[in-house]
Amino acid sequence: MAEPMRAVVTEPTATPRLAVREVASPHPAPHQALIRVTAFSLNAGETRTALAASTRYTPGWDFAGVVEQAAADGSSPRAGTRVFGVVPQGAWAEYVAARAGHIAEIPEGVTDAQAAALPVAGVTALVCLEEAGSLLGRRVLITGAAGGVGRFACQLAALAGATVFAVSRRPELRRQLHEDGVQPAGVFTTMEEAKAAGTYDVILDSVGGDTLGVALTALSFGGICVNCGNSAQQPTTFDARDFYLKSNGRLHGVWLGRELAGNCTPMLARLASLVKQGRLRTPIDTELPWTRVAEAADRLMQQGVDGKVILAVA
């Protein structure tokens, strides 16, 4: 019988719907390391799914911690190594089993909280921007710019030499971007306002709905819109003729689950290296003990978070 551990579980018939309970510890496969989790972050998609769950399970994608038991096939860092990474489910727990290709070492000088903020939001931003090719001198617009993906995307685009524009209703975004080292050329409250100010070579959209529909008609000729989410939870309609005749543009969808089918260690290591160098700032809104997960999830769903919420496991 598996040894027990504590983990956050969904409670479909209770209030709150997330609580720390005792569950069985994971048994790692030969290609997986067993990691003692010290911190994890919340992402909107996993949190929304967990709160609406009709079954009992342990959610969670992002984590940071220490290798308790290295992968039996020798593919992972050795026991005692500080690591961070992502799993398809189960990171909101004291222990998690993770593939070697889904974890990377935490560099000296980078905290567990910083590392836990990186995987899903950072890798999503990186993959989306790389899909657009070289950003040097290009006008890049990022919707949902106050969120985790958005804040990372603004920084990464600026580091790549782009002229950065941002869309968010959050009044503090311009100040926060300055703190992140980004000098935005424009900050707009709506996509309509952004479109009225010009066209864009690259648009990274995580909002979906009407925002995506307008974005597709705000591309420069030959531009690309990369969509990675639908936080609006609404279908998208747009003027197809306006899109293909005026912009000759492209629409590309990024789903991180597809990216995680392969080896994401190099991307994780690249992001962590930028943090260590002081070139990438982890936009952490709040750090809380993991016993307050229900409160943290509620704040995230009520859009009361700018950047990332990190929960410390103790």
Side-chain angles (χ1 to χ4, degrees):
M1 184 174 178
E3 291 294 320
M5 69 170 182
R6 292 180 301 160
V8 175
V9 298
T10 56
E11 297 281 15
T13 60
T15 301
R17 296 176 72 94
L18 296 172
V20 177
R21 298 285 186 259
E22 195 169 88
V23 302
S25 296
H27 279 286
H31 64 285
Q32 294 177 318
L34 181 66
I35 295 156
R36 176 173 56 82
V37 178
T38 57
F40 59 82
S41 72
L42 303 188
N43 295 282
E46 67 190 337
T47 304
R48 188 178 298 112
T49 299
L51 292 173
S54 58
T55 58
R56 198 171 189 261
Y57 72 97
T58 296
W61 298 336
D62 294 337
F63 65 87
V66 179
V67 176
E68 187 84 359
Q69 177 185 316
D73 66 1
S75 59
S76 77
R78 66 182 182 277
T81 305
R82 295 172 64 229
V83 296
F84 73 109
V86 59
V87 288
Q89 184 178 299
W92 300 357
E94 288 184 310
Y95 293 91
V96 66
R99 284 178 46 196
H102 289 172
I103 61 177
E105 294 189 27
I106 301 175
E108 198 67 37
V110 176
T111 69
D112 289 1
Q114 288 175 309
L118 287 172
V120 166
V123 170
T124 298
L126 188 60
V127 170
C128 287
L129 292 173
E130 289 191 340
E131 185 62 37
S134 173
L135 301 180
L136 184 63
R138 300 173 80 186
R139 290 166 58 90
V140 176
L141 176 71
I142 293 148
T143 72
V149 173
R151 293 277 291 280
F152 281 127
C154 287
Q155 293 182 73
L156 292 168
L159 286 173
T163 301
V164 177
F165 300 83
V167 178
S168 174
R169 297 185 186 275
R170 307 290 180 89
E172 297 298 311
L173 179 61
R174 186 181 289 273
R175 175 186 59 79
Q176 291 164 345
L177 290 179
H178 286 166
E179 292 173 356
D180 291 343
V182 178
Q183 306 299 322
V187 176
F188 311 105
T189 57
T190 65
M191 188 60 230
E192 289 85 354
E193 184 183 335
K195 180 180 178 180
T199 58
Y200 306 91
D201 303 306
V202 178
I203 299 177
L204 193 165
D205 172 61
S206 60
V207 178
D210 292 340
T211 294
L212 175 57
V214 177
L216 291 173
T217 62
L219 289 171
S220 303
F221 191 82
I224 180 172
C225 178
V226 182
N227 172 266
C228 63
N230 184 21
S231 62
Q233 300 185 70
Q234 297 290 332
T236 297
T237 59
F238 67 100
D239 186 336
R241 183 179 177 84
D242 196 22
F243 173 59
Y244 68 76
L245 278 184
K246 292 183 180 179
S247 73
N248 193 35
R250 291 183 293 142
L251 170 62
H252 182 85
V254 168
W255 177 53
L256 194 60
R258 185 165 44 242
E259 304 300 327
L260 294 180
N263 180 5
C264 64
T265 297
M267 287 185 286
L268 292 170
R270 179 176 166 191
L271 291 167
S273 177
L274 288 171
V275 174
K276 176 180 173 61
Q277 295 166 29
R279 301 177 64 201
L280 182 67
R281 181 172 179 266
T282 50
I284 296 174
D285 178 277
T286 307
E287 295 184 49
L288 295 170
W290 72 318
T291 50
R292 294 172 63 181
V293 63
E295 173 192 338
D298 183 64
R299 279 188 56 194
L300 184 61
M301 291 298 94
Q302 296 302 318
Q303 297 187 334
V305 173
D306 291 321
K308 300 290 291 181
V309 176
I310 306 298
L311 300 182
V313 179

